[in-house]
């Protein structure tokens, strides 16, 4: 197999993985919203979601890495912004729990996706956070514009 074909196959597998991961989002949001109703709090529902996720992730880490050890000496040397991902996850999950009952599943997902794409294109364009730079161009702008049109169609119909 040529190098280009291997790279194409690998990229295709990752795109399918991304598609599958994206399919989890509306299911997770729907489940967490029902959990919100059961426990009568979007914040407790989010806490339960993160707690169960943390337990599963700890088990996966132990199975794959065979350890929970981390070199804590990296903390003062690492950029401060690398430690805020969990806080952003709280915003993401809790916002989805609050949005779904009002917007519905489809509009919640596409509005969140549009927000993700807005900042993702800026991150790519400027190469923020150590990401490889991909300049903004007309095909990307066109794709984003079509997303906005899609959101309007989903909201209207």
């Amino acid at each position: 197999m040529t190098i280009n074909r291997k790279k194409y196959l690998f990229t295709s597998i990752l795109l399918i993985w991304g598609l599958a991961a994206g399919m989890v989002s509306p299911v997770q949001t729907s489940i967490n919203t029902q959990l919100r109703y059961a426990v009568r709090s979007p914040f407790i529902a989010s806490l339960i979601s993160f707690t169960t996720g943390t337990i599963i992730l700890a088990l996966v880490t132990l199975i794959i890495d065979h350890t929970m050890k981390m070199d804590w000496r990296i903390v003062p040397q690492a950029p401060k912004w690398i430690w805020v991902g969990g806080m952003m996850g709280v915003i993401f999950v809790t916002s989805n729990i609050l949005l779904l009952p009002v917007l519905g599943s489809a509009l919640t997902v596409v509005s969140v996706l549009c927000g993700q794409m807005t900042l993702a294109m800026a991150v790519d364009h400027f190469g923020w956070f150590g990401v490889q730079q991909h300049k903004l161009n007309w095909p990307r702008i066109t794709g984003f514009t079509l997303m906005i049109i899609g959101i309007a169609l989903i909201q209207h119909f």
Side-chain angles (χ1 to χ4, degrees), residues 25 29 92 95-100 102-119 144 147-148 150-152 154-155:
S25 182
T29 301
F92 180 82
S95 295
N96 277 325
I97 291 170
L98 292 167
L99 292 172
L100 186 129
V102 179
L103 300 179
S105 184
L107 196 53
T108 296
V109 168
V110 295
S111 66
V112 169
L113 180 60
C114 187
Q116 289 174 329
M117 285 304 300
T118 300
L119 199 52
F144 182 75
M147 282 184 63
I148 299 296
I151 290 171
I154 289 169
Q155 181 181 16

Side-chain angles (χ1 to χ4, degrees), residues 66-134:
H66 307 291
T67 185
M68 295 288 282
K69 292 181 184 175
M70 183 183 110
D71 184 358
W72 290 96
R73 293 175 291 182
I74 68 161
V75 173
Q77 300 162 356
K80 302 304 177 227
W81 51 263
I82 69 169
W83 307 107
V84 300
M87 288 184 279
M88 291 181 180
V90 168
I91 293 167
F92 180 82
V93 169
T94 307
S95 295
N96 277 325
I97 291 170
L98 292 167
L99 292 172
L100 186 129
V102 179
L103 300 179
S105 184
L107 196 53
T108 296
V109 168
V110 295
S111 66
V112 169
L113 180 60
C114 187
Q116 289 174 329
M117 285 304 300
T118 300
L119 199 52
M121 291 197 320
V123 168
D124 275 356
H125 180 75
F126 295 108
W128 293 335
F129 311 112
V131 171
Q132 182 179 349
Q133 202 168 15
H134 298 278

